[in-house]
Amino acid sequence: MKLLILDGNSVINRAYFGVKPLTTRDGLYTHAIYGFLNILERMEKEEQPEAVCVAFDLHGPTFRHLKYEGYKATRHAMPEELVQQMPIMKDVLRAMNIPIYECQGWEADDVIGTVGKICSQQDWECVIVTGDRDSLQLIDGNVHVKLVISKPGQTTTTLFDEEKFREEYGFEPKKLIDLKALMGDSSDNIPGVAGVGPKTAKELLAKFGSLDGVYAHLDDPSIRPKLREKLEAGKENAYLSFDLATIRPEAPIDFAPKDAIVQPYNRLELYQLFQKLEFVRLIDKYGLRGAAADAPKPEQKVQSIPRREEMPADVDTCAVYLAEDGSVGLAWAEGVCALTPMEAQMGQLSLAGKKLIFHDSKTAMHRLDELGKLTDAVNGMNTNIKLTIQQLENTNKSLEIVTAQNKKQEDRLTALEKAPGTFGNKLWWAVIAALVSGLVAY
């Protein structure tokens, strides 16, 4: 089994600088997220992992800052255009059901080291995707590092296992810590020994094996006097640097490889995020185009209203359904009633002076004309129940609630129209009309 873990800050930082700036119409920068997703997709295709997760740094000092005030002090602040993308990037990962691991007071490197250690203990292969060479010290029989190098328009990767590391550095991965202790690391402001560069540090490690070995053999004649002086003067910084450069695989995180096994995306949530980010191509690439239609419909809560023998004369607004057989359904805030064709013809249908709501105004016009009620109804008629937003201005209903109901309205009405023909079913057209229009509490 294989787990892929991304160094979130490292990968998104390289994506930010490696992809030309992109913004939405509202001015939201998106290119770091876009680049991150491209790298993630590529890594998944190349590695075919059973599990995927991402580690991020959290804002605030770590135990390394407390030990050495100058740790990472020379780093520039994260660009504001990248800062605004970070929370959205995490939202996208959550919508993809990819676990995120963070730990206050610890760096993402320590979290990654902890994940790698647990994977090794459980005999999982762990592939670390990062742009920083710090993680190379974690390489062992189970843990490998995929080093990402991003340039504008191009991203290259190199997979480091124990053999590849030895080929490039000439010693085992753990000795990368000793190398940094001697030569320092300007990106993290780790001091090292002043005046000792990469070439000299590698030569010392090749001959003496470790930082301890170097200091145990300072009197060795192969060490030049000036170099010996530098090593003696810089001994304290060398051991401080060793400590700062060491990744601690003991971060207090709740992790098990099985918790990161690949899961289906939350398609609707991811679709909505991609819409916000205006990732049109990715919507199609991820197969999200039908996500909104596939989403489960929220349960509608409808307050039932009692059936009455007739509609009171003082009702000023009502919903009307006129059936093909001449029967009529009426609904108002306090009740519903039904009139047979004969009752409607004999004068029990009084619409004069009332504000009326119809589902299909064209058909309603014809049927009202047949009943001789067209003149009474014209002044109060709304053109169509689909155009309820205008009607909202005359009610106290929430626009969001009613608009959401409108999305389901036509399907509900069509379903009722096709239902077995009982007058009770048809009467519900009028009830639904009243609900959508805000006449009945919802």
Side-chain angles (χ1 to χ4, degrees), residues 126-427:
C126 177
V127 177
I128 300 165
V129 178
T130 181
D132 296 328
R133 289 180 176 262
D134 299 354
S135 294
L136 294 177
Q137 66 182 270
L138 299 171
I139 295 171
D140 61 22
N142 291 78
V143 178
H144 307 139
V145 173
K146 201 141 194 177
L147 195 65
V148 178
I149 299 174
S150 293
K151 299 176 182 178
Q154 183 182 19
T155 298
T156 59
T157 61
T158 303
L159 182 64
F160 281 84
D161 56 12
E162 290 176 303
E163 182 180 351
K164 176 65 177 176
F165 184 90
R166 283 183 178 275
E167 179 185 320
E168 181 161 327
Y169 286 88
F171 47 78
E172 63 179 311
K174 280 288 183 188
K175 298 303 179 186
L176 182 64
I177 306 170
D178 302 74
L179 181 67
K180 287 198 171 193
L182 289 166
M183 61 178 268
D185 184 347
S186 58
S187 66
D188 290 338
N189 201 34
I190 293 176
V193 176
V196 174
K199 182 180 177 182
T200 301
K202 284 184 177 181
E203 290 173 351
L204 289 168
L205 289 178
K207 185 169 182 65
F208 301 111
S210 67
L211 182 66
D212 287 339
V214 170
Y215 278 99
H217 295 87
L218 281 182
D219 57 352
D220 191 287
S222 65
I223 298 179
R224 301 181 303 277
K226 285 188 177 181
L227 176 58
R228 185 179 294 110
E229 289 176 11
K230 292 175 183 177
L231 290 169
E232 288 173 342
K235 183 175 181 178
E236 184 177 345
N237 273 349
Y239 279 94
L240 170 65
S241 299
F242 185 94
D243 199 32
L244 294 173
T246 301
I247 292 176
R248 312 286 182 188
E250 301 100 20
I253 59 172
D254 184 13
F255 169 79
K258 63 180 178 59
D259 296 336
I261 288 176
V262 175
Q263 301 292 329
Y265 303 148
N266 183 326
R267 296 180 71 249
L268 178 60
E269 190 175 340
L270 191 59
Y271 172 72
Q272 291 170 338
L273 283 166
F274 281 0
Q275 277 193 314
K276 175 182 178 179
L277 296 166
E278 297 177 8
F279 287 169
V280 178
R281 288 185 183 178
L282 293 188
I283 286 174
D284 293 326
K285 194 173 188 179
Y286 282 67
L288 302 174
R289 187 62 65 182
D294 296 341
K297 302 296 186 289
E299 181 182 351
Q300 267 193 322
K301 297 179 181 179
V302 179
Q303 178 181 331
S304 61
I305 50 179
R307 186 161 182 161
R308 307 292 188 190
E309 292 298 320
E310 61 181 14
M311 182 173 66
D314 60 355
V315 170
D316 60 1
T317 306
C318 67
V320 183
Y321 172 70
L322 297 111
E324 292 181 9
D325 63 2
S327 56
V328 178
L330 302 171
W332 60 101
E334 291 83 21
V336 297
C337 74
L339 302 178
T340 65
M342 182 175 293
E343 289 171 334
Q345 292 282 359
M346 295 297 291
Q348 293 190 35
L349 178 61
S350 177
L351 303 177
K354 302 186 188 304
K355 183 164 64 175
L356 307 175
I357 304 156
F358 296 93
H359 168 57
D360 182 347
S361 59
K362 183 177 179 180
T363 301
M365 288 274 199
H366 289 297
R367 292 181 184 167
L368 285 168
D369 192 27
E370 292 169 3
L371 289 169
K373 300 292 182 179
L374 182 59
T375 303
D376 291 343
V378 165
N379 290 334
M381 185 186 301
N382 263 313
T383 57
N384 197 304
I385 203 169
K386 294 177 183 176
L387 304 177
T388 53
I389 292 178
Q390 175 65 34
Q391 194 164 339
L392 279 172
E393 296 175 359
N394 301 321
T395 71
N396 292 323
K397 297 299 287 185
S398 160
L399 179 61
E400 288 81 6
I401 291 174
V402 177
T403 302
Q405 289 173 289
N406 287 343
K407 291 176 183 176
K408 295 173 281 200
Q409 182 61 22
E410 188 170 353
D411 288 342
R412 290 188 64 186
L413 293 174
T414 300
L416 283 167
E417 186 176 38
K418 292 178 179 177
T422 67
F423 189 80
N425 279 341
K426 293 181 178 181
L427 174 59

Side-chain angles (χ1 to χ4, degrees), residues 5 7 55-58 60-65 71-72 101-118 128 132 134-135 137-138 177 242-253 255:
I5 180 166
D7 182 345
F56 281 104
D57 289 315
L58 288 174
T62 67
F63 61 86
R64 292 182 181 86
H65 294 91
Y71 182 66
K72 291 189 176 182
Y101 293 98
E102 303 164 314
C103 190
Q104 194 67 57
W106 298 69
E107 293 185 58
D109 285 347
D110 302 306
V111 172
I112 291 168
T114 305
V115 167
K117 180 180 178 181
I118 293 171
I128 300 165
D132 296 328
D134 299 354
S135 294
Q137 66 182 270
L138 299 171
I177 306 170
F242 185 94
D243 199 32
L244 294 173
T246 301
I247 292 176
R248 312 286 182 188
E250 301 100 20
I253 59 172
F255 169 79

